[in-house]
Amino acid sequence: SADHKGSADPLAGYEKTGEVVRCLPLTQVRDSDAIDDTALLFELRGGDMYLNELRGQCIGLGRHDRYSYKTTQNQVCAGDIITVADSVGNSVVSCGLGEFEALAEIPEDSES
């Protein structure tokens, strides 16, 4: 798998908006990606992106990028537990999700 560090920063091109929600509906979540050991990026069906900064460091999350989360009521929420798995599927560590912060795409032509 490609190393996410360097120019292929998944957050390049996005900026934090300060808009925070506690939960995302699972039916709207199209994809999620580990950025590193401290954050997940959630993509919704409409193209909205949310950054989740974990409550503490989840060792191995960025390296393995294999994880599952336990959810309640068809949504993924702050405080839900994610479990990181290694390449053979053994559970490595569990961590709590933080709140979800909406990201905005930075226009290509902005110089600021």
Side-chain angles (χ1 to χ4, degrees), residues 7-83:
S7 60
D9 179 2
L11 291 178
Y14 291 95
E15 60 189 357
K16 295 179 178 185
T17 63
E19 290 176 44
V20 173
V21 295
R22 281 192 53 77
C23 298
L24 296 176
L26 283 178
T27 54
Q28 293 298 310
V29 176
R30 197 172 82 83
D31 196 16
S32 65
D33 276 306
I35 296 170
D36 54 27
D37 288 354
T38 64
L40 292 172
L41 187 62
F42 285 79
E43 181 185 353
L44 303 191
R45 292 193 183 283
D48 290 346
M49 305 292 275
Y50 284 86
L51 178 66
N52 192 291
E53 293 182 283
L54 302 173
R55 296 173 172 177
Q57 196 172 6
C58 213
I59 304 297
L61 177 62
R63 188 172 76 246
H64 297 302
D65 197 12
R66 293 165 59 95
Y67 53 90
S68 57
Y69 36 85
K70 286 196 169 59
T71 59
T72 52
Q73 305 169 330
N74 297 325
Q75 49 188 9
V76 56
C77 294
D80 283 350
I81 301 299
I82 68 166
T83 301

Side-chain angles (χ1 to χ4, degrees), residues 82-99:
I82 68 166
T83 301
V84 179
D86 64 17
S87 55
V88 292
N90 294 319
S91 293
V92 179
V93 67
S94 296
C95 310
L97 290 173
E99 293 182 315

